[in-house]
Amino acid sequence: MGGLINVVTLGITGGLGAGKSTACQRLKERGAIIFDADSVAKEILLTVPEVQEQISDVFGINIKNNTNLHLGKLANIAFSNEENQTALNNIIHPRVIEAFEKKRAEIKDQDGLLVIDAPLIFESGLDSHLDHTVLIYSTYKIRIARAIRRGNLSREQILKRIELQMPEEEKRELASIVIENNGTVERLYEEIDKLYNELIG
């Protein structure tokens, strides 16, 4: 649609290895502004004393010092079970949403597309802040293979994280748009370009 008055907001989500970051990179190449929820969450953990105190109280980890080591420990604890993951999300998600709304306010009069790249759009309630939500969907087998190829997580860690995520079929029901990503990167780019053109014109 042409002649935009305000920025359009779009959430891109997908399970581990689905290809959401690749989709967001393509949208960035087309001119979209990308809000990386994971990067913002990490920055909050590293820079907000109140959050650091909450992390210390709940998980017993002091992330003010020896930061990378303790962030790794926090991730291991948070992804060990659903209770810990929920506790961490309850601390971080409200601040990520606040940061997103601040970004939206900064560019609200611009024409274009503001995309939030976030694995937990529906779980965090971010979807209620967006014009559209997109699920990048891949089969379980393909997602595991892609995640293993990255080499930064063991197979056991990958399976545990997938287990703790909302099932993809539930996300399919919640997303306003579903893009299948079981083929080549070029095919995904075609679908993303089509989406961009439909939203921006």
Side-chain angles (χ1 to χ4, degrees), residues 31-154:
I33 298 168
I34 307 298
F35 181 96
D36 186 333
D38 281 349
S39 294
V40 171
K42 183 176 181 179
E43 182 179 356
I44 290 168
L45 283 168
L46 296 179
T47 61
V48 181
E50 182 182 349
V51 169
Q52 293 173 341
E53 289 173 9
Q54 288 178 288
I55 295 297
S56 179
D57 291 342
V58 174
F59 297 104
I61 297 176
N62 180 1
I63 59 174
K64 294 180 183 178
N65 302 308
N66 207 358
T67 303
N68 288 331
L69 173 63
H70 289 103
L71 282 179
K73 287 183 178 179
L74 177 60
N76 288 336
I77 293 173
F79 290 114
S80 66
N81 60 61
E82 187 173 355
E83 182 180 355
N84 286 345
Q85 182 177 250
T86 299
L88 178 61
N89 291 342
N90 287 342
I91 294 170
I92 296 298
H93 282 165
R95 291 181 179 272
V96 172
I97 292 173
E98 181 182 350
F100 176 74
E101 289 296 348
K102 181 179 179 181
K103 183 65 176 178
R104 193 215 306 252
E106 289 173 358
I107 62 172
K108 65 182 177 65
D109 295 324
Q110 297 181 24
D111 289 353
L113 188 63
L114 172 60
V115 177
I116 180 166
D117 175 356
L120 304 177
I121 280 178
F122 302 115
E123 297 91 329
S124 66
L126 264 166
D127 55 311
S128 65
H129 296 252
L130 303 167
D131 296 317
H132 309 280
T133 55
V134 176
L135 171 66
I136 306 298
Y137 178 85
S138 298
T139 65
Y140 183 77
K141 183 177 180 180
I142 288 175
R143 289 167 55 208
I144 291 175
R146 287 176 182 154
I148 289 174
R149 281 200 300 270
R150 290 180 192 167
N152 59 334
L153 294 172
S154 69

Side-chain angles (χ1 to χ4, degrees), residues 173-191:
E173 294 297 320
L174 295 170
S176 51
I177 301 164
V178 177
I179 292 178
E180 303 276 348
N181 183 31
N182 295 308
T184 64
V185 172
E186 289 75 19
R187 178 58 182 161
L188 175 61
Y189 282 177
E190 289 176 8
E191 292 297 320

